[in-house]
Amino acid sequence: MEVAGLRKAFGELEVLRGIDFSVARGEVVCVIGPSGSGKSTLLRCVNLLEEPSAGRVTVAGTEVTDPDVDIDRVRRRIGMVFQAFNLFPHLNALENLTIAQRRVLGRDRAEAERIARANLERVGLSDKAAAYPAQLSGGQQQRVAIARALSMDPELMLFDEPTSALDPELVGDVLAVMRALAQDGMTMLVVTHEMSFAREVADRVVFMDGGVIVEEGTPEQVVGAPQHERTRTFLARVLDPAAAEVGEVADSGAAGKRVDR
């Protein structure tokens, strides 16, 4: 994936202000930063859930931002896991995994179910195929959402803070699944506040603030020894929240106008 000169404005508020970076095949890139820095908007621009105001996004050699692109075909190659689980409440886990396979990819029921069961086993939920979302914990629902994305055979997986809506004791199971995906060579772009995951799993960490990339490099460089003062301040607050003082960090960029994107 390659992003060049990416900008996105909502009215007068410019959320992305010229983003340039790439993700190589098989690479895991974690994007960190404060709320409102543009991280989620960046992810949503990659598959045109938000239309960029300017710039170019290319995925697996196809320019997503080309006005003539078949975006539905491109999206088949991109899996996305949101903060909310977005499962169909009236379908059980197996049906949640097979509906898009059958309707979008044209697979028959037997093949779709075989692939769905394999991916439920991959995320440790082979015994929950008949369970409905309301019968599953938040962590289990998120793992079903990951299995659903994997069932479409994506080349790139986007994760938008996939553990932020979970109770702390449920986070580990979801991160374990993501670690396994990384070990299997899945290309992943992950927006996260889980610094331990970024440190252990990411090939590269990107720190964003105010709609720009402030710093990027290996986890050892960005998380372990950040060079930019804004990165150091952010990490100090994230890694030791109790040490922060009221009003210690003001919003950068569009101060007073920032919205949580």
Side-chain angles (χ1 to χ4, degrees):
M1 186 195 81
E2 184 174 353
V3 175
L6 187 65
R7 293 179 176 272
K8 176 61 183 178
F10 295 93
E12 296 183 357
L13 176 62
E14 194 170 28
V15 177
L16 299 178
R17 300 192 288 134
I19 301 294
D20 298 280
F21 81 106
S22 60
V23 181
R25 186 177 298 276
E27 189 178 25
V28 178
V29 176
C30 284
V31 183
I32 63 173
S35 295
S37 59
K39 306 183 304 295
S40 294
T41 300
L42 169 62
L43 248 62
R44 295 173 67 86
C45 284
V46 169
N47 59 4
L48 290 196
L49 291 178
E50 296 286 359
E51 187 172 346
S53 304
R56 187 177 70 253
V57 178
T58 304
V59 176
T62 300
E63 185 182 339
V64 177
T65 44
D66 184 336
D68 297 323
V69 72
D70 183 346
I71 189 59
D72 291 331
R73 181 176 293 276
V74 174
R75 284 177 179 149
R76 295 175 195 175
R77 307 165 77 175
I78 304 172
M80 187 159 185
V81 178
F82 300 86
Q83 296 177 36
F85 318 125
N86 293 335
L87 299 176
F88 294 112
H90 63 293
L91 301 179
N92 64 30
L94 186 69
E95 292 165 339
N96 264 285
L97 266 65
T98 57
I99 185 169
Q101 291 188 69
R102 297 178 63 196
R103 295 191 178 184
V104 177
L105 300 183
R107 291 171 178 162
D108 62 37
R109 181 185 296 274
E111 182 184 15
E113 289 190 356
R114 176 184 62 78
I115 292 170
R117 292 185 187 279
N119 282 309
L120 285 174
E121 182 175 0
R122 191 174 182 181
V123 300
L125 293 174
S126 57
D127 60 334
K128 299 295 184 181
Y132 287 84
Q135 299 171 315
L136 301 172
S137 70
Q140 289 172 333
Q141 290 185 61
Q142 192 62 294
R143 283 187 281 159
V144 170
I146 293 173
R148 176 179 59 183
L150 293 174
S151 294
M152 301 297 286
D153 298 329
E155 297 180 43
L156 169 67
M157 284 286 287
L158 308 177
F159 293 88
D160 186 6
E161 297 190 27
T163 61
S164 64
L166 303 180
D167 292 333
E169 63 181 5
L170 302 177
V171 168
D173 289 339
V174 173
L175 293 182
V177 169
M178 294 172 65
R179 276 192 195 90
L181 291 179
Q183 291 168 358
D184 290 342
M186 176 62 72
T187 308
M188 298 164 61
L189 181 59
V190 184
V191 169
T192 183
H193 287 298
E194 301 290 343
M195 292 302 110
S196 61
F197 178 85
R199 236 193 298 240
E200 296 168 20
V201 180
D203 297 299
R204 192 152 40 92
V205 175
V206 173
F207 174 68
M208 288 184 62
D209 188 40
V212 299
I213 292 176
V214 176
E215 189 168 350
E216 67 175 303
T218 65
E220 292 78 11
Q221 292 170 330
V222 177
V223 182
Q227 299 300 301
H228 198 283
E229 178 60 29
R230 182 65 185 98
T231 314
R232 289 195 291 270
T233 304
F234 170 77
L235 289 170
R237 290 176 67 90
V238 170
L239 298 174
D240 189 10
E245 297 181 4
V246 174
E248 178 185 346
V249 178
D251 280 345
S252 60
K257 300 181 181 179
R258 190 85 63 82
V259 295
D260 189 4
R261 294 286 181 186

